[in-house]
Amino acid sequence: MTEGILLPALYLPNISYFQAIKNNEGPIIIEQYENFPKQTFRTRTEIATANGILNLMVPIVHGKKMRVPMKDVQINYDHPWQRLHWLSIQTAYRSSPYFEYYEDDFKIFYDREYDLLLDYNVEQLKLILKLLKLNREIIFTEKYTSESPNDIDYRTAIHPKKPSLIVSQKPYYQLFEDNNGFQEDISIIDLLFSQGSQSKNFF
């Protein structure tokens, strides 16, 4: 396997995810054969709202099998989560300097239904890399291995219950900072809607 950075496919990943990519010139290797881990950023993202941090969670189909490879995890559309997520994003960021500039790019992920979580997250990743002007090849694991000696392994490093990989977040303008303080290492969309094409200067 080509040396690169080994990452999970996350939902609207946080800033530290892209800092890790920025700091590594190799390809992005997406883990697709891991057993889907619960309560991670694979189905969750954090955005800043007037009331503080809001978690947006993508529901998935829970089958009879206890363990399902990430590549086979299906998104559940029994409830209108897409409409609710997009409404939350609009409410939080419609007054941000660059929201209207990027609005159409992100709205498609709340209009179109994706069957698989992996496809959904990877398509978002491709868009965000393009907007950040981070030119990286994306490849996928061919099997699961617990150790990846030739690659930088971030599969378990970016996790809601673990400290941020960013030692000191470079501050940028946040709409609700006066009320809630500066929120570090939340979804990359918070930074994009604030700083536009200058976003990667802040991580």
Side-chain angles (χ1 to χ4, degrees), residues 127-153:
L127 168 64
I128 296 167
L129 289 173
K130 178 182 176 182
L131 298 181
L132 292 172
K133 295 181 171 57
L134 289 172
N135 185 21
R136 298 290 188 277
E137 178 186 11
I138 297 177
I139 58 180
F140 297 87
T141 55
E142 298 175 356
K143 62 180 180 179
Y144 180 80
T145 56
S146 59
E147 296 181 2
S148 184
N150 296 325
D151 304 304
I152 299 173
D153 189 348

mmCIF file of all heavy atoms in Angstrom, residues 127-153:
data_model
loop_
_atom_site.group_PDB
_atom_site.id
_atom_site.type_symbol
_atom_site.label_atom_id
_atom_site.label_comp_id
_atom_site.label_asym_id
_atom_site.label_seq_id
_atom_site.Cartn_x
_atom_site.Cartn_y
_atom_site.Cartn_z
ATOM 1 N N LEU A 127 -15.375 17.427 -1.658
ATOM 2 C CA LEU A 127 -15.780 18.821 -1.805
ATOM 3 C C LEU A 127 -14.932 19.725 -0.921
ATOM 4 O O LEU A 127 -14.423 20.757 -1.376
ATOM 5 C CB LEU A 127 -17.261 18.989 -1.447
ATOM 6 C CG LEU A 127 -17.734 20.443 -1.284
ATOM 7 C CD1 LEU A 127 -17.632 21.194 -2.605
ATOM 8 C CD2 LEU A 127 -19.145 20.498 -0.718
ATOM 9 N N ILE A 128 -14.775 19.359 0.343
ATOM 10 C CA ILE A 128 -14.063 20.218 1.286
ATOM 11 C C ILE A 128 -12.587 20.342 0.909
ATOM 12 O O ILE A 128 -12.008 21.430 0.999
ATOM 13 C CB ILE A 128 -14.241 19.697 2.724
ATOM 14 C CG1 ILE A 128 -15.724 19.773 3.113
ATOM 15 C CG2 ILE A 128 -13.393 20.505 3.703
ATOM 16 C CD1 ILE A 128 -16.072 19.005 4.370
ATOM 17 N N LEU A 129 -11.981 19.259 0.468
ATOM 18 C CA LEU A 129 -10.590 19.327 0.001
ATOM 19 C C LEU A 129 -10.467 20.317 -1.160
ATOM 20 O O LEU A 129 -9.515 21.094 -1.232
ATOM 21 C CB LEU A 129 -10.103 17.944 -0.434
ATOM 22 C CG LEU A 129 -9.872 16.915 0.666
ATOM 23 C CD1 LEU A 129 -9.573 15.556 0.046
ATOM 24 C CD2 LEU A 129 -8.723 17.329 1.587
ATOM 25 N N LYS A 130 -11.444 20.288 -2.059
ATOM 26 C CA LYS A 130 -11.449 21.213 -3.198
ATOM 27 C C LYS A 130 -11.571 22.651 -2.720
ATOM 28 O O LYS A 130 -10.830 23.543 -3.179
ATOM 29 C CB LYS A 130 -12.597 20.858 -4.139
ATOM 30 C CG LYS A 130 -12.727 21.784 -5.339
ATOM 31 C CD LYS A 130 -13.933 21.382 -6.190
ATOM 32 C CE LYS A 130 -14.144 22.360 -7.345
ATOM 33 N NZ LYS A 130 -15.347 21.990 -8.154
ATOM 34 N N LEU A 131 -12.479 22.898 -1.775
ATOM 35 C CA LEU A 131 -12.685 24.259 -1.277
ATOM 36 C C LEU A 131 -11.469 24.769 -0.516
ATOM 37 O O LEU A 131 -11.168 25.965 -0.542
ATOM 38 C CB LEU A 131 -13.921 24.312 -0.382
ATOM 39 C CG LEU A 131 -15.265 23.943 -1.043
ATOM 40 C CD1 LEU A 131 -16.397 24.057 -0.045
ATOM 41 C CD2 LEU A 131 -15.526 24.816 -2.256
ATOM 42 N N LEU A 132 -10.768 23.871 0.166
ATOM 43 C CA LEU A 132 -9.570 24.244 0.920
ATOM 44 C C LEU A 132 -8.317 24.294 0.050
ATOM 45 O O LEU A 132 -7.246 24.673 0.517
ATOM 46 C CB LEU A 132 -9.345 23.257 2.064
ATOM 47 C CG LEU A 132 -10.361 23.270 3.209
ATOM 48 C CD1 LEU A 132 -10.092 22.108 4.159
ATOM 49 C CD2 LEU A 132 -10.322 24.599 3.957
ATOM 50 N N LYS A 133 -8.471 23.857 -1.203
ATOM 51 C CA LYS A 133 -7.341 23.781 -2.135
ATOM 52 C C LYS A 133 -6.236 22.875 -1.584
ATOM 53 O O LYS A 133 -5.046 23.185 -1.656
ATOM 54 C CB LYS A 133 -6.791 25.185 -2.453
ATOM 55 C CG LYS A 133 -7.791 26.061 -3.214
ATOM 56 C CD LYS A 133 -7.233 27.427 -3.540
ATOM 57 C CE LYS A 133 -8.130 28.219 -4.468
ATOM 58 N NZ LYS A 133 -9.499 28.417 -3.961
ATOM 59 N N LEU A 134 -6.667 21.742 -1.038
ATOM 60 C CA LEU A 134 -5.748 20.691 -0.604
ATOM 61 C C LEU A 134 -5.827 19.572 -1.634
ATOM 62 O O LEU A 134 -6.811 18.822 -1.678
ATOM 63 C CB LEU A 134 -6.130 20.171 0.786
ATOM 64 C CG LEU A 134 -5.886 21.117 1.964
ATOM 65 C CD1 LEU A 134 -6.498 20.549 3.237
ATOM 66 C CD2 LEU A 134 -4.398 21.383 2.162
ATOM 67 N N ASN A 135 -4.839 19.484 -2.479
ATOM 68 C CA ASN A 135 -4.855 18.520 -3.576
ATOM 69 C C ASN A 135 -4.278 17.189 -3.099
ATOM 70 O O ASN A 135 -3.064 17.043 -2.968
ATOM 71 C CB ASN A 135 -4.036 19.063 -4.755
ATOM 72 C CG ASN A 135 -4.111 18.152 -5.971
ATOM 73 O OD1 ASN A 135 -5.035 17.353 -6.102
ATOM 74 N ND2 ASN A 135 -3.128 18.257 -6.851
ATOM 75 N N ARG A 136 -5.158 16.238 -2.811
ATOM 76 C CA ARG A 136 -4.730 14.928 -2.320
ATOM 77 C C ARG A 136 -5.472 13.831 -3.073
ATOM 78 O O ARG A 136 -6.670 13.950 -3.361
ATOM 79 C CB ARG A 136 -5.013 14.774 -0.826
ATOM 80 C CG ARG A 136 -4.284 15.742 0.087
ATOM 81 C CD ARG A 136 -2.792 15.471 0.151
ATOM 82 N NE ARG A 136 -2.173 16.300 1.169
ATOM 83 C CZ ARG A 136 -1.794 17.563 1.007
ATOM 84 N NH1 ARG A 136 -2.012 18.138 -0.178
ATOM 85 N NH2 ARG A 136 -1.221 18.250 1.975
ATOM 86 N N GLU A 137 -4.759 12.757 -3.341
ATOM 87 C CA GLU A 137 -5.390 11.566 -3.897
ATOM 88 C C GLU A 137 -6.115 10.829 -2.769
ATOM 89 O O GLU A 137 -5.609 10.745 -1.648
ATOM 90 C CB GLU A 137 -4.330 10.654 -4.506
ATOM 91 C CG GLU A 137 -4.881 9.355 -5.081
ATOM 92 C CD GLU A 137 -3.798 8.404 -5.547
ATOM 93 O OE1 GLU A 137 -2.611 8.647 -5.236
ATOM 94 O OE2 GLU A 137 -4.143 7.406 -6.201
ATOM 95 N N ILE A 138 -7.298 10.313 -3.058
ATOM 96 C CA ILE A 138 -8.035 9.511 -2.092
ATOM 97 C C ILE A 138 -8.064 8.064 -2.569
ATOM 98 O O ILE A 138 -8.498 7.781 -3.691
ATOM 99 C CB ILE A 138 -9.474 10.031 -1.902
ATOM 100 C CG1 ILE A 138 -9.474 11.448 -1.330
ATOM 101 C CG2 ILE A 138 -10.272 9.088 -0.994
ATOM 102 C CD1 ILE A 138 -10.863 12.055 -1.194
ATOM 103 N N ILE A 139 -7.574 7.177 -1.729
ATOM 104 C CA ILE A 139 -7.634 5.746 -2.025
ATOM 105 C C ILE A 139 -8.273 5.041 -0.827
ATOM 106 O O ILE A 139 -8.517 5.657 0.209
ATOM 107 C CB ILE A 139 -6.239 5.164 -2.342
ATOM 108 C CG1 ILE A 139 -5.266 5.385 -1.177
ATOM 109 C CG2 ILE A 139 -5.681 5.783 -3.617
ATOM 110 C CD1 ILE A 139 -3.870 4.818 -1.452
ATOM 111 N N PHE A 140 -8.549 3.762 -0.977
ATOM 112 C CA PHE A 140 -9.255 3.028 0.064
ATOM 113 C C PHE A 140 -8.476 1.789 0.478
ATOM 114 O O PHE A 140 -7.760 1.191 -0.326
ATOM 115 C CB PHE A 140 -10.652 2.615 -0.430
ATOM 116 C CG PHE A 140 -11.538 3.780 -0.744
ATOM 117 C CD1 PHE A 140 -11.515 4.379 -1.994
ATOM 118 C CD2 PHE A 140 -12.400 4.286 0.209
ATOM 119 C CE1 PHE A 140 -12.324 5.462 -2.289
ATOM 120 C CE2 PHE A 140 -13.217 5.369 -0.068
ATOM 121 C CZ PHE A 140 -13.181 5.958 -1.318
ATOM 122 N N THR A 141 -8.626 1.421 1.749
ATOM 123 C CA THR A 141 -7.965 0.205 2.218
ATOM 124 C C THR A 141 -8.523 -0.998 1.467
ATOM 125 O O THR A 141 -9.683 -1.019 1.050
ATOM 126 C CB THR A 141 -8.178 0.002 3.727
ATOM 127 O OG1 THR A 141 -9.594 0.005 4.007
ATOM 128 C CG2 THR A 141 -7.500 1.104 4.547
ATOM 129 N N GLU A 142 -7.683 -2.008 1.309
ATOM 130 C CA GLU A 142 -8.093 -3.222 0.613
ATOM 131 C C GLU A 142 -8.457 -4.337 1.587
ATOM 132 O O GLU A 142 -9.047 -5.348 1.202
ATOM 133 C CB GLU A 142 -6.965 -3.674 -0.321
ATOM 134 C CG GLU A 142 -6.657 -2.636 -1.401
ATOM 135 C CD GLU A 142 -5.462 -3.017 -2.255
ATOM 136 O OE1 GLU A 142 -4.820 -4.054 -1.950
ATOM 137 O OE2 GLU A 142 -5.164 -2.291 -3.210
ATOM 138 N N LYS A 143 -8.106 -4.153 2.848
ATOM 139 C CA LYS A 143 -8.473 -5.081 3.922
ATOM 140 C C LYS A 143 -8.216 -4.367 5.243
ATOM 141 O O LYS A 143 -7.612 -3.288 5.272
ATOM 142 C CB LYS A 143 -7.640 -6.370 3.855
ATOM 143 C CG LYS A 143 -6.146 -6.145 4.022
ATOM 144 C CD LYS A 143 -5.379 -7.453 3.947
ATOM 145 C CE LYS A 143 -3.878 -7.210 4.126
ATOM 146 N NZ LYS A 143 -3.117 -8.483 4.068
ATOM 147 N N TYR A 144 -8.688 -4.965 6.327
ATOM 148 C CA TYR A 144 -8.449 -4.345 7.631
ATOM 149 C C TYR A 144 -7.202 -4.927 8.273
ATOM 150 O O TYR A 144 -7.022 -6.136 8.327
ATOM 151 C CB TYR A 144 -9.636 -4.539 8.572
ATOM 152 C CG TYR A 144 -9.380 -3.887 9.926
ATOM 153 C CD1 TYR A 144 -9.548 -2.514 10.079
ATOM 154 C CD2 TYR A 144 -8.907 -4.622 11.003
ATOM 155 C CE1 TYR A 144 -9.284 -1.890 11.281
ATOM 156 C CE2 TYR A 144 -8.642 -4.004 12.225
ATOM 157 C CZ TYR A 144 -8.827 -2.641 12.348
ATOM 158 O OH TYR A 144 -8.548 -2.025 13.533
ATOM 159 N N THR A 145 -6.341 -4.041 8.754
ATOM 160 C CA THR A 145 -5.191 -4.449 9.560
ATOM 161 C C THR A 145 -5.170 -3.575 10.806
ATOM 162 O O THR A 145 -5.438 -2.370 10.742
ATOM 163 C CB THR A 145 -3.869 -4.287 8.795
ATOM 164 O OG1 THR A 145 -3.736 -2.924 8.343
ATOM 165 C CG2 THR A 145 -3.808 -5.219 7.593
ATOM 166 N N SER A 146 -4.858 -4.179 11.951
ATOM 167 C CA SER A 146 -4.870 -3.427 13.202
ATOM 168 C C SER A 146 -3.725 -2.433 13.280
ATOM 169 O O SER A 146 -3.820 -1.406 13.949
ATOM 170 C CB SER A 146 -4.816 -4.376 14.399
ATOM 171 O OG SER A 146 -3.645 -5.184 14.343
ATOM 172 N N GLU A 147 -2.634 -2.727 12.580
ATOM 173 C CA GLU A 147 -1.499 -1.815 12.560
ATOM 174 C C GLU A 147 -1.159 -1.462 11.120
ATOM 175 O O GLU A 147 -1.279 -2.282 10.223
ATOM 176 C CB GLU A 147 -0.284 -2.442 13.246
ATOM 177 C CG GLU A 147 -0.486 -2.721 14.729
ATOM 178 C CD GLU A 147 0.751 -3.317 15.372
ATOM 179 O OE1 GLU A 147 1.771 -3.467 14.666
ATOM 180 O OE2 GLU A 147 0.688 -3.624 16.578
ATOM 181 N N SER A 148 -0.696 -0.243 10.937
ATOM 182 C CA SER A 148 -0.328 0.222 9.601
ATOM 183 C C SER A 148 1.044 0.885 9.681
ATOM 184 O O SER A 148 1.153 2.114 9.739
ATOM 185 C CB SER A 148 -1.381 1.191 9.064
ATOM 186 O OG SER A 148 -1.088 1.564 7.741
ATOM 187 N N PRO A 149 2.111 0.087 9.710
ATOM 188 C CA PRO A 149 3.445 0.623 9.994
ATOM 189 C C PRO A 149 3.977 1.626 8.988
ATOM 190 O O PRO A 149 4.783 2.482 9.328
ATOM 191 C CB PRO A 149 4.324 -0.639 10.021
ATOM 192 C CG PRO A 149 3.578 -1.652 9.204
ATOM 193 C CD PRO A 149 2.129 -1.365 9.454
ATOM 194 N N ASN A 150 3.515 1.556 7.743
ATOM 195 C CA ASN A 150 4.059 2.445 6.718
ATOM 196 C C ASN A 150 3.257 3.738 6.542
ATOM 197 O O ASN A 150 3.648 4.613 5.785
ATOM 198 C CB ASN A 150 4.120 1.715 5.366
ATOM 199 C CG ASN A 150 5.085 0.542 5.401
ATOM 200 O OD1 ASN A 150 6.117 0.608 6.069
ATOM 201 N ND2 ASN A 150 4.744 -0.532 4.709
ATOM 202 N N ASP A 151 2.148 3.841 7.237
ATOM 203 C CA ASP A 151 1.281 5.002 7.084
ATOM 204 C C ASP A 151 1.047 5.665 8.439
ATOM 205 O O ASP A 151 1.160 5.040 9.487
ATOM 206 C CB ASP A 151 -0.069 4.588 6.480
ATOM 207 C CG ASP A 151 0.084 3.853 5.159
ATOM 208 O OD1 ASP A 151 0.710 4.435 4.257
ATOM 209 O OD2 ASP A 151 -0.389 2.724 5.052
ATOM 210 N N ILE A 152 0.719 6.941 8.395
ATOM 211 C CA ILE A 152 0.353 7.655 9.618
ATOM 212 C C ILE A 152 -1.107 7.328 9.914
ATOM 213 O O ILE A 152 -1.992 7.638 9.129
ATOM 214 C CB ILE A 152 0.552 9.168 9.433
ATOM 215 C CG1 ILE A 152 2.021 9.467 9.123
ATOM 216 C CG2 ILE A 152 0.124 9.917 10.687
ATOM 217 C CD1 ILE A 152 2.303 10.900 8.756
ATOM 218 N N ASP A 153 -1.347 6.685 11.058
ATOM 219 C CA ASP A 153 -2.650 6.107 11.367
ATOM 220 C C ASP A 153 -3.455 7.019 12.293
ATOM 221 O O ASP A 153 -3.121 7.192 13.462
ATOM 222 C CB ASP A 153 -2.448 4.736 12.015
ATOM 223 C CG ASP A 153 -3.744 3.959 12.168
ATOM 224 O OD1 ASP A 153 -4.828 4.551 11.986
ATOM 225 O OD2 ASP A 153 -3.664 2.754 12.464
#
